[in-house]
Amino acid sequence: RGGRGQAASGEYEGCNFAECTELENKVELVARLPYAQAAFEGNASLQQDYRASCASAGGVSVEAVQIIAIDTVQIAARRLLEDAIDVTTQIQTASKADADALAGNAGFLTTLNSALASRGLEPATLVSAPSVVIPDNLTAAAATSLPSLFLSSLLAASSLALLGAF
């Protein structure tokens, strides 16, 4: 079978329609923060404040923000190496339109840093700007056409049901 499409089971190679559309409503970013990994990972309130800041910047609830990974990086600063962390973060939005708007928000970093400062946290830099999460096994074109594929599948199924009635 050529290309991507609907499998016989009603799933889109690797994820069902509900899972794929939920992924379309997620935005992922990587923020660099000037903290040691152990200090950040070992401090639940620091993580909560970071998540709350991302939620504020993204216009969502704290529950919609998930820290996916925390990786150590070393930055050269005035002949010394300083620890920093790259925090991979996902933000669940209510709709694909909201995810697209968040991913296209040029002021996200400014809003995030204001929210971080209001909670006493250091400012972040973006290693990877917010972008809509697309499942690995789908192309961007296929992901944006999932709703129409789903409707086409429903139409085809109802046509078959009608033909079976005769």
Side-chain angles (χ1 to χ4, degrees):
R1 166 176 86 161
R4 301 189 190 284
Q6 186 173 7
S9 67
E11 294 187 356
Y12 292 90
E13 297 179 22
C15 65
N16 66 37
F17 177 76
E19 290 169 343
C20 287
T21 52
E22 181 178 307
L23 283 173
E24 286 184 322
N25 298 345
K26 282 187 182 175
V27 172
E28 186 170 289
L29 63 105
V30 179
R32 181 163 291 162
L33 296 168
Y35 296 101
Q37 185 170 1
F40 190 81
E41 285 182 335
N43 189 332
S45 69
L46 188 60
Q47 290 181 43
Q48 181 66 15
D49 285 344
Y50 169 76
R51 288 178 57 231
S53 297
C54 287
S56 177
V60 299
S61 68
V62 172
E63 293 77 23
V65 178
Q66 192 175 26
I67 295 173
I68 304 301
I70 303 167
D71 299 305
T72 297
V73 293
Q74 290 189 329
I75 301 172
R78 298 184 200 165
R79 299 185 196 178
L80 298 173
L81 290 179
E82 292 183 358
D83 282 336
I85 52 173
D86 286 350
V87 183
T88 304
T89 309
Q90 285 187 349
I91 301 172
Q92 179 75 44
T93 60
S95 68
K96 181 165 181 348
D98 289 345
D100 289 338
L102 179 55
N105 181 354
F108 177 82
L109 181 60
T110 302
T111 307
L112 173 61
N113 281 333
S114 293
L116 289 168
S118 73
R119 291 174 176 80
L121 276 66
E122 296 293 324
T125 57
L126 289 179
V127 175
S128 174
S131 62
V132 176
V133 175
I134 306 263
D136 290 338
N137 61 341
L138 292 178
T139 63
T144 56
S145 66
L146 280 176
S148 61
L149 288 172
F150 179 70
L151 292 174
S152 297
S153 298
L154 284 177
L155 183 58
S158 36
S159 296
L160 288 174
L162 287 173
L163 289 174
F166 291 103

